[in-house]
Amino acid sequence: MNKVLETIMNHKTIRKFKDINITDEQITTIIKAAQMAPSSLFLQDYAIIGVSDSKIKEYLYQLTKGRWVKENGLLLIFCSDLHRISVLASDEQKKKLKLAHKFGPFKKISTINTSIAAQNATLAAESMGLGVVYSGAIAEHEKAVKKILKLPKNVVPLFGLCIGVPDSTPEQKPRLPLHAVYFQNEYIQDEEAQKKSLIQYNETMKNYYAARTDNKREINWSQKCLDPINQIPTTKIGFIKFALKRFLSDK
């Protein structure tokens, strides 16, 4: 197995970092690696905000409640950037871009391009012996994050990538069995076989959560995935109130 595959196969989410800043050379290497990721239509439609200011980290921590957002060697906020291309556009092109951003596939393409770039950054960081953890909670507070980072209208924060020198050695989470995610030529819709496979995987994850060193839990994989769904109301009115509450809490 070559070193690239070793890095990929040894991935672990690191949530505790030593109080050591990432060097400028490491930052440059990580960002350049991100830029080398494939980009649909070669749009390169992402922006990466490096956050080193402790006050900004504290603010983002108060929003996300993840201590790794403030306790890290470097915090990168990956954003979908549909603003950059408009800088060189004519007035007529800007009108068309506005419509394309609203109704076209550009938002989806930009999200995909940004995510691929972030994975390149992850591999680069881990290849240097650093650890990473993603913060998806950044997207839940879009308006507040846009304000603190002074993001233009068409630049949207998607997630954070916390990087640092690992101060923990967590166990690696067992992944789903290969046959659960890989199919040849068509999706195999054998729900009974899927249920059997997932029940076995649930038992594996239940044992993992119960035995791991930190944050032991009595839960399995499907419970962890489905529990957040319980918060969503089943009626249309209830869902609207639920959505508005989340939206207004981010004002």
Side-chain angles (χ1 to χ4, degrees):
M1 187 179 293
N2 62 47
K3 290 184 178 180
V4 175
L5 287 174
E6 285 181 4
T7 300
I8 293 172
M9 298 302 183
N10 289 326
H11 167 75
K12 298 175 183 177
T13 296
I14 304 298
R15 292 184 172 85
K16 187 177 181 182
F17 303 101
K18 293 182 179 179
D19 188 17
I20 301 173
N21 290 328
I22 304 303
T23 68
D24 290 341
E25 182 180 0
Q26 288 174 316
I27 295 172
T28 299
T29 300
I30 291 169
I31 301 304
K32 283 186 175 181
Q35 286 188 278
M36 293 308 295
S39 179
S40 180
L41 303 178
F42 203 49
L43 290 173
Q44 303 176 81
D45 42 0
Y46 52 82
I48 307 170
I49 312 297
V51 180
S52 56
D53 189 306
S54 59
K55 291 182 180 179
I56 297 179
K57 285 185 177 182
E58 177 64 30
Y59 183 86
L60 295 175
Y61 162 70
Q62 292 300 327
L63 290 174
T64 63
K65 306 304 180 185
R67 68 178 186 279
W68 42 87
V69 170
K70 69 172 180 177
E71 298 172 1
N72 54 65
L74 175 68
L75 171 61
L76 299 178
I77 306 297
F78 279 79
C79 308
S80 164
D81 186 349
L82 295 174
H83 166 77
R84 183 185 298 115
I85 190 61
S86 67
V87 173
L88 296 178
S90 65
D91 290 342
E92 183 64 24
Q93 288 173 324
K94 286 180 180 177
K95 291 179 181 179
K96 292 181 178 180
L97 278 171
K98 187 176 181 180
L99 289 173
H101 293 168
K102 188 174 183 179
F103 301 109
F106 283 85
K107 287 185 178 180
K108 182 182 292 186
I109 292 173
S110 184
T111 299
I112 293 170
N113 286 341
T114 305
S115 300
I116 296 172
Q119 182 59 17
N120 259 30
T122 293
L123 290 176
E126 291 183 334
S127 74
M128 291 187 278
L130 300 172
V132 304
V133 58
Y134 282 87
S135 175
I138 291 293
E140 296 179 14
H141 304 279
E142 179 183 324
K143 288 183 178 293
V145 175
K146 281 175 69 75
K147 184 177 180 180
I148 189 64
L149 298 182
K150 300 180 180 178
L151 302 180
K153 182 178 180 181
N154 289 316
V155 178
V156 180
L158 299 179
F159 48 81
L161 180 62
C162 312
I163 306 173
V165 178
D167 194 25
S168 63
T169 53
E171 297 84 356
Q172 189 178 54
K173 286 182 179 178
R175 263 45 178 183
L176 283 161
L178 193 66
H179 63 261
V181 298
Y182 176 68
F183 311 98
Q184 290 193 37
N185 301 316
E186 63 181 40
Y187 192 99
I188 307 301
Q189 300 187 56
D190 185 343
E191 290 202 1
E192 287 305 314
Q194 283 185 323
K195 284 181 180 179
K196 183 178 179 180
S197 176
L198 293 178
I199 288 172
Q200 292 175 344
Y201 181 65
N202 267 345
E203 191 63 25
T204 298
M205 287 304 297
K206 182 179 179 181
N207 293 334
Y208 161 78
Y209 283 124
R212 67 181 179 181
T213 305
D214 296 321
N215 193 24
K216 294 183 179 183
R217 306 173 67 180
E218 291 185 10
I219 195 171
N220 62 39
W221 175 76
S222 62
Q223 289 173 332
K224 187 175 186 298
C225 293
L226 293 173
D227 274 357
I229 306 300
N230 294 330
Q231 301 176 30
I232 300 176
T234 55
T235 65
K236 186 175 181 180
I237 294 177
F239 181 79
I240 292 173
K241 289 181 178 180
F242 172 78
L244 282 174
K245 183 178 180 180
R246 290 184 67 99
F247 173 75
L248 294 172
S249 67
D250 194 33
K251 287 289 187 178

